Amino acid sequence: MIPLVEIDDLSVDIVQGRGANTKVLPILRHIDLSVEEGRVLGIVGESGCGKTMTVLALMGLLPEGGRISGGRIRFRGRDITGLSRQEMENIRGKRIAMIFQEPRGSLNPLLSIGAQMREILYYHEGIKGKANKEKCIFLLRTVNISEPEKVYDYYPFKLSGGMCQRVMIAMALACEPELIIADEPTTALDVTTQAQILDLFNEIRGRIRSSFIFVTHDLGVIAEIADRTAVIYAGYVVEESSAAALFGRPLHPYTDGLMRSRLGRRNSNRENLYSIPGVVPVSGNMPSGCPFTPRCAYTTEQCRREIPPLAVPLSQEIESGHKVRCWRQVP
Ligand SMILES: Nc1ncnc2c1ncn2[C@@H]1O[C@H](COP(=O)(O)OP(=O)(O)OP(=O)(O)O)[C@@H](O)[C@H]1O
Ligand SMILES: [Mg+2]
């Protein structure tokens, strides 16, 4: 069966300035990813590594100056890289829905929750009047909002961050999309609410057939929700595998660093927490060769010279389909 989403050798640049002052900043490089039907792909990496740009490219929503400079994105086997704005608009919201980090910022403060939900159902599904309201209330109930009739009439300021995120999830579910993309949907919430929202995602997953892309900087979230995981570093996928294999045996030194810097049950003392030395290189100021070399304990001459391919290591007994971009593993 063909995957729902296939991202194949995708590169994205941001072009800044004009004429002689034009600068081209490479943002994503040779990204290969796929999302299987009904599965959750987790995308993890530090701030600035390119997680949001990856999903914006997929949605056809790159910021000003952003352009796809190479590769293909296929949705149900169809190349969507060159679609017109109108064609992309028909897909967004209906077949692909997106949930953002800041739930309050994604809601219109001037419209009631009901008005915002109604609009989606009317625009994409042509549902009107009483049937529309009933579906909205049903959706609010689906995301475990008690007293959905009341919340329907509320304006966003009356709701907590967690409630706003529930409403956003209800809106994403409205048209029963094939793919739901959630970009750091719990980051802006307190720890307890984060856990509740993650539970809600897991519950929804069990109920609907949609596939998910879940973007996070938090490996704990990946452990909770993802089937497969892509680790992104400085615009490159550096490791890609099932979530179980990633936790069982991280192969890239960067993934290993992320694991060790994680605040977990066994590692609850913040003061002894490991942190990866150095910072993510900024676009336009990339080291030559592998982008992780300045922070890596295993750097060799070859690493400084050439970027390794994303490939299955030859020399180890590992799960099939576990790929890594590292010369140590893929000689
Ligand atoms: N409009 C823009 N103009 C120039 N550079 C940009 C723009 N938007 C993003 N970038 C750069 O693209 C890179 C990737 O950004 P992106 O937002 O995808 O990171 P991220 O992994 O989502 O980070 P975070 O965890 O902070 O959300 C960063 O280096 C960022 O500075
Ligand atoms: Mg982001």
Side-chain angles (χ1 to χ4, degrees):
M1 208 163 64
I2 54 161
L4 179 66
V5 180
E6 283 173 288
I7 299 181
D8 178 18
D9 200 29
L10 177 76
S11 293
V12 167
D13 297 331
I14 287 185
V15 184
Q16 287 177 335
R18 287 217 184 122
N21 296 324
T22 306
K23 243 170 70 185
V24 178
L25 298 174
I27 303 290
L28 301 178
R29 281 297 166 262
H30 308 291
I31 300 277
D32 285 328
L33 287 177
S34 68
V35 186
E36 305 288 330
E37 196 83 42
R39 297 292 166 143
V40 181
L41 170 72
I43 299 183
V44 68
E46 283 165 293
S47 185
C49 69
K51 304 179 296 295
T52 296
M53 289 298 235
T54 304
V55 295
L56 290 180
L58 168 54
M59 298 278 286
L61 288 175
L62 284 174
E64 207 184 306
R67 62 160 195 219
I68 292 177
S69 54
R72 289 272 163 271
I73 301 171
R74 291 190 188 84
F75 186 67
R76 278 215 192 283
R78 177 185 182 201
D79 186 350
I80 58 167
T81 359
L83 289 191
S84 70
R85 180 189 282 256
Q86 183 59 48
E87 285 172 306
M88 239 9 248
E89 247 164 52
N90 291 338
I91 292 183
R92 274 198 304 270
K94 181 160 174 59
R95 301 184 63 191
I96 307 178
M98 188 146 177
I99 298 162
F100 295 94
Q101 173 168 342
E102 243 316 318
R104 206 176 295 280
S106 318
L107 288 166
N108 184 339
L110 302 176
L111 291 176
S112 71
I113 301 301
Q116 301 184 51
M117 295 185 76
R118 253 188 341 252
E119 172 69 21
I120 296 178
L121 287 171
Y122 180 67
Y123 180 79
H124 287 295
E125 310 271 318
I127 305 177
K128 293 186 222 164
K130 200 162 159 244
N132 188 314
K133 181 166 182 181
E134 274 168 12
K135 176 108 196 235
C136 292
I137 304 279
F138 166 81
L139 286 165
L140 289 172
R141 198 167 280 128
T142 307
V143 294
N144 303 338
I145 287 179
S146 52
E147 303 191 285
E149 291 85 359
K150 269 194 195 160
V151 172
Y152 181 88
D153 289 323
Y154 282 173
Y155 284 79
F157 75 89
K158 273 200 111 169
L159 301 176
S160 67
M163 283 288 271
C164 285
Q165 199 55 296
R166 282 178 199 274
V167 169
M168 290 310 299
I169 297 168
M171 285 163 79
L173 295 173
C175 302
E176 296 163 26
E178 291 146 270
L179 177 67
I180 297 174
I181 301 174
D183 188 358
E184 306 259 14
T186 61
T187 304
L189 307 172
D190 64 70
V191 178
T192 317
T193 315
Q194 272 184 21
Q196 289 167 358
I197 296 290
L198 274 183
D199 285 348
L200 175 64
F201 271 108
N202 269 323
E203 196 191 309
I204 289 170
R205 257 200 85 187
R207 272 202 316 249
I208 63 173
R209 297 224 306 272
S210 307
S211 309
F212 287 79
I213 296 179
F214 218 93
V215 171
T216 177
H217 62 270
D218 184 348
L219 277 169
V221 171
I222 294 287
E224 293 261 339
I225 197 148
D227 297 308
R228 283 196 80 80
T229 305
V231 181
I232 297 200
Y233 186 78
Y236 289 88
V237 174
V238 296
E239 185 158 1
E240 203 260 321
S241 72
S242 73
L246 194 84
F247 286 95
R249 190 164 180 182
L251 295 178
H252 198 283
Y254 176 60
T255 316
D256 191 50
L258 283 181
M259 297 275 179
R260 285 198 281 149
S261 55
R262 206 179 134 215
L263 203 60
R265 267 196 306 262
R266 272 178 297 143
N267 195 2
S268 57
N269 185 348
R270 234 170 228 286
E271 277 161 25
N272 293 334
L273 205 60
Y274 172 80
S275 92
I276 305 172
V279 291
V280 183
V282 291
S283 179
N285 199 9
M286 286 287 218
S288 60
C290 168
F292 194 56
T293 48
R295 303 173 79 185
C296 184
Y298 308 100
T299 300
T300 64
E301 272 315 304
Q302 186 184 23
C303 304
R304 291 204 184 86
R305 248 188 351 254
E306 276 179 274
I307 294 176
L310 181 68
V312 178
L314 300 168
S315 55
Q316 311 208 20
E317 284 284 309
I318 55 154
E319 192 191 85
S320 72
H322 191 156
K323 292 185 189 157
V324 66
R325 198 185 270 286
C326 177
W327 288 122
R328 262 184 104 211
Q329 303 286 348
V330 189

